[in-house]
Amino acid sequence: MDSAEKRLGLAGRLAAAFIHSKLTPLLIGASVLAGLGAVAVLPREEEPQIVVPLVDVFVSLPGSGSREVEERITKPMEKLLWEIPGVEYVYSTSSPGGALAVVRFEVGEDEEEAIVRLNQKMFANFDLIPPGASPPLIKPRSIDDVPILALTLWSGRYDHFALRRIAAQLHDTVKAVADVSEVKILGGRRRQVRVVLDAGRLAAHGLTPAAVAARVSRANARSLSGSFSRANREVLVEAAGFLTSAEEVAALVVAVNQGRPVYLGEVAEVLDGPEEARDYVFFSHGPGGEQSHGLGDGPQDLEPGVPFPAVTLSVAKRKGTNATSVAERVLAAVGQLEGRVIPSGVQLTVTRNYGETAKEKSDELLFHMLLAIVSVSLLIWLTLGLRESGIVALAIPVTLALTLVVFYFLGYTLNRVTLFALIFSIGILVDDAIVVVENIVRHYRLPSNRGRPLHRVAVEAVDEVGNPTILATFAVIAAILPMAFVSGLMGPYMRPIPVGASAAMIFSLLVAFVVTPWASLRLLRASGGDHGGEREGWTTHAYRRIMGRLIGQPRWRSAFLGGVLLLLLAA
């Protein structure tokens, strides 16, 4: 190492260490592959996941009015909830027969720890529950409870009752799909065996409705009656079992009158059919028809605009899983049930597919990010040259790939905010590479460097702009990074932008000092010819001519300022 190399700064030392190293191409390849792997495994969503623990607390007090519930249940419960660390808001509702309190913790609180603290507080104060009130029912809520997929079964041949039974069979299949957390059936009418008591017959046999209800409840149970051993095995004996049909319910013995059994069918009418509707779902398609999931006879024979009976299955995913892959697995599992569980004449339409829309939007943003890289490379080609643009075009993907790896380790997802952070970063991360490349090219063309080894010229050029480049990079980080410490709901929503941009700036600085000199040595040397000549590009020549006239001739200055003013007014 000569005296000149000993005086090199941090940037020059990094460039000298990696400009001939065989590790440099390996680092480039590993960075790009790691970035591609991060794109493949990062979950894709439309919006970033914000952790805001929400918990619903239900307490019932049958037979009480809303004023009594407020005084005996709501107010004491609110005081207890405010004692829990991390609680930000408590919303309560008092209604006849019960109270509801919605507890919202601070943004970023650990969800599991928040629920544990709330449960401990409620269980430790069970002695304060007034007589007649139920223990608190605690139900946590999460952003992942929002369905990512909605499958609507509809038909012009089957009613709500039949569609509900088909949906119940689909429910079991969808629930078994990996990473599915919750499946709900909306609409339709459940099967119900109703017992309509006859007051006259009850009085004739000396029965009351309460006694009949108790007998039916006891009969609809399975109990262990004992066991016996045979052939070196123990056989368990169970008494009766669950009721499965209206005939079994009607055959129940509810009393004995004058030495003969009284069956339920003698004192009541037993009906097996749909329950009273709680809600309805209807489906209609426009004149062009609705795209179904390839099942049934197709809507082309059905009258457009007419609402048909329907049932909807809503599917929610587990926390931290990929919405796109979960939706694809569910649709694949449901598609295998065509002709077996889903009969002919029943249509299945995907009325919501969050995974598909998230994939489309993330793919579109990735495409625009690629366009931004190409646009920046073309701009460098026009101003510096083709080989110089190739150097910058190599630095950008390496930097973005490393930033995507940071997103993966920080637990971020691919959504519109994180991808915007990458697109936003392209405009500032290329500065380091452009400054270094431009200075290397300038030194390469100086007559004083004629005959000198190109790698020494490149190292000196990097070292010359190293300190200003480091200062400019950290100045940008200092301006952007404070956004990461914004509190409230906007904090975690916008945090990927400062975190991603800051990581991209740091990686772009390292890439400018490590990858850019290595690529410049090989691409500029491959251009052939002896370096050290004063070779101006057409852009530099045009810039000199224009600026010379603007500086030296007042007419050109006045015309230029007038043109800028006109453009400003036009804008």
Side-chain angles (χ1 to χ4, degrees):
M1 180 179 294
D2 56 21
S3 59
E5 292 182 349
K6 291 181 181 179
R7 294 193 301 270
L8 293 176
L10 176 62
R13 291 178 182 274
L14 281 174
F18 287 94
I19 196 168
H20 284 305
S21 176
K22 295 182 179 179
L23 290 176
T24 306
L26 294 178
L27 291 174
I28 295 173
S31 301
V32 174
L33 289 177
L36 293 176
V39 172
V41 300
L42 278 171
R44 300 191 178 192
E45 296 170 328
E46 292 186 21
E47 304 290 345
Q49 294 281 341
I50 302 176
V51 180
V52 186
L54 287 171
V55 182
D56 294 342
V57 183
F58 301 90
V59 178
S60 63
L61 187 63
S64 59
S66 57
R67 177 65 64 181
E68 182 182 0
V69 170
E70 181 183 6
E71 296 296 331
R72 301 182 63 191
I73 301 293
T74 306
K75 289 184 177 180
M77 183 168 59
E78 283 183 347
K79 294 178 181 179
L80 291 176
L81 295 175
W82 277 116
E83 297 175 3
I84 303 173
V87 171
E88 187 172 10
Y89 295 108
V90 176
Y91 310 94
S92 62
T93 302
S94 302
S95 57
L100 165 65
V102 181
V103 185
R104 175 182 149 186
F105 288 83
E106 294 178 356
V107 178
E109 282 281 332
D110 186 85
E111 197 169 4
E112 286 75 15
E113 291 183 3
I115 297 172
V116 169
R117 291 198 298 267
L118 191 145
N119 275 279
Q120 288 178 341
K121 175 62 70 173
M122 292 291 102
F123 289 143
N125 293 274
F126 270 10
D127 57 324
L128 302 179
I129 298 177
S134 68
L137 174 62
I138 300 172
K139 293 182 70 66
R141 303 294 182 184
S142 171
I143 187 71
D144 292 296
D145 295 335
V146 178
I148 64 166
L149 190 67
L151 308 175
T152 300
L153 293 164
W154 58 281
S155 174
R157 185 184 307 173
Y158 296 90
D159 59 5
H160 290 92
F161 177 56
L163 291 174
R164 176 85 188 200
R165 301 186 69 173
I166 298 173
Q169 299 181 62
L170 287 180
H171 178 280
D172 298 335
T173 300
V174 174
K175 188 66 177 178
V177 176
D179 296 327
V180 170
S181 66
E182 186 179 32
V183 183
K184 292 183 179 179
I185 302 177
L186 307 177
R189 302 168 70 181
R190 296 180 179 88
R191 181 193 177 195
Q192 184 183 69
V193 177
R194 289 188 296 165
V195 178
V196 182
L197 298 175
D198 188 298
R201 296 178 184 178
L202 288 176
H205 292 283
L207 292 174
T208 63
V212 175
R215 295 286 178 88
V216 174
S217 178
R218 287 197 298 268
N220 190 32
R222 178 179 295 171
S223 59
L224 184 63
S225 299
S227 63
F228 63 91
S229 300
R230 189 175 69 177
N232 201 25
R233 292 184 179 181
E234 184 179 14
V235 180
L236 300 178
V237 179
E238 293 182 347
F242 297 110
L243 302 173
T244 59
S245 64
E247 290 76 13
E248 293 182 4
V249 176
L252 290 177
V253 177
V254 295
V256 176
N257 187 14
Q258 296 181 357
R260 61 176 295 273
V262 178
Y263 297 98
L264 181 60
E266 297 178 7
V267 295
E269 182 182 5
V270 182
L271 304 174
D272 187 355
E275 65 174 359
E276 292 293 330
R278 300 181 181 180
D279 47 32
Y280 286 102
V281 175
F282 291 93
F283 182 88
S284 63
H285 61 91
E290 184 74 22
Q291 288 187 353
S292 299
H293 193 59
L295 303 175
D297 296 333
Q300 59 271 14
D301 297 332
L302 301 176
E303 184 179 352
V306 176
F308 298 100
V311 174
T312 296
L313 268 78
S314 64
V315 183
K317 68 179 184 68
R318 290 181 179 175
K319 181 180 179 180
T321 55
N322 194 331
T324 302
S325 59
V326 173
E328 290 175 350
R329 286 196 294 268
V330 171
L331 292 177
V334 172
Q336 296 177 358
L337 302 179
E338 178 183 0
R340 295 190 293 116
V341 175
I342 304 175
S344 175
V346 175
Q347 301 297 316
L348 177 63
T349 300
V350 181
T351 49
R352 171 180 169 84
N353 191 342
Y354 178 85
E356 183 180 7
T357 57
K359 182 177 184 302
E360 289 177 355
K361 293 182 179 180
S362 60
D363 288 345
E364 182 179 0
L365 287 172
L366 287 172
F367 176 71
H368 282 85
M369 187 169 66
L370 177 62
L371 286 182
I373 296 174
V374 174
S375 301
V376 171
S377 302
L378 290 176
L379 181 61
I380 303 302
W381 180 19
L382 293 175
T383 55
L384 290 180
L386 178 60
R387 297 182 183 276
E388 291 80 357
S389 68
I391 298 170
V392 177
L394 176 64
I396 297 175
V398 175
T399 305
L400 293 179
L402 292 173
T403 308
L404 284 168
V405 174
V406 171
F407 282 165
Y408 172 75
F409 285 114
L410 290 179
Y412 291 151
T413 60
L414 277 184
N415 54 70
R416 64 180 65 191
V417 177
T418 53
L419 290 175
F420 170 77
L422 294 178
I423 297 175
F424 167 76
S425 301
I426 293 176
I428 56 178
L429 66 85
V430 295
D431 289 346
D432 296 340
I434 290 175
V435 169
V436 172
V437 169
E438 194 277 334
N439 205 47
I440 291 176
V441 173
R442 188 179 65 84
H443 276 256
Y444 180 60
R445 293 173 177 175
L446 288 177
S448 59
N449 287 325
R450 183 185 299 272
R452 295 187 60 201
L454 184 56
H455 71 276
R456 291 191 177 181
V457 175
V459 170
E460 292 176 2
V462 173
D463 186 69
E464 185 178 57
V465 296
N467 290 337
T469 305
I470 294 174
L471 179 61
T473 300
F474 281 94
V476 174
I477 294 175
I480 296 176
L481 195 57
M483 192 191 304
F485 301 97
V486 175
S487 60
L489 287 174
M490 289 305 296
Y493 188 86
M494 302 298 294
R495 190 164 295 140
I497 296 178
V499 171
S502 300
M505 289 300 297
I506 293 175
F507 287 132
S508 71
L509 186 65
L510 295 175
V511 168
F513 294 158
V514 173
V515 176
T516 301
W518 178 87
S520 300
L521 178 64
R522 282 144 185 84
L523 290 179
L524 297 181
R525 185 171 56 189
S527 61
D530 187 25
H531 67 276
E534 190 68 26
R535 296 171 294 178
E536 284 189 355
W538 69 270
T539 54
T540 305
H541 184 66
Y543 175 78
R544 288 181 182 274
R545 292 187 60 184
I546 294 173
M547 289 305 299
R549 292 181 179 180
L550 289 177
I551 294 175
Q553 301 181 21
R555 290 184 305 173
W556 283 86
R557 285 198 302 271
S558 300
F560 177 76
L561 292 176
V564 172
L565 181 60
L566 289 176
L567 291 175
L568 177 61
L569 294 176

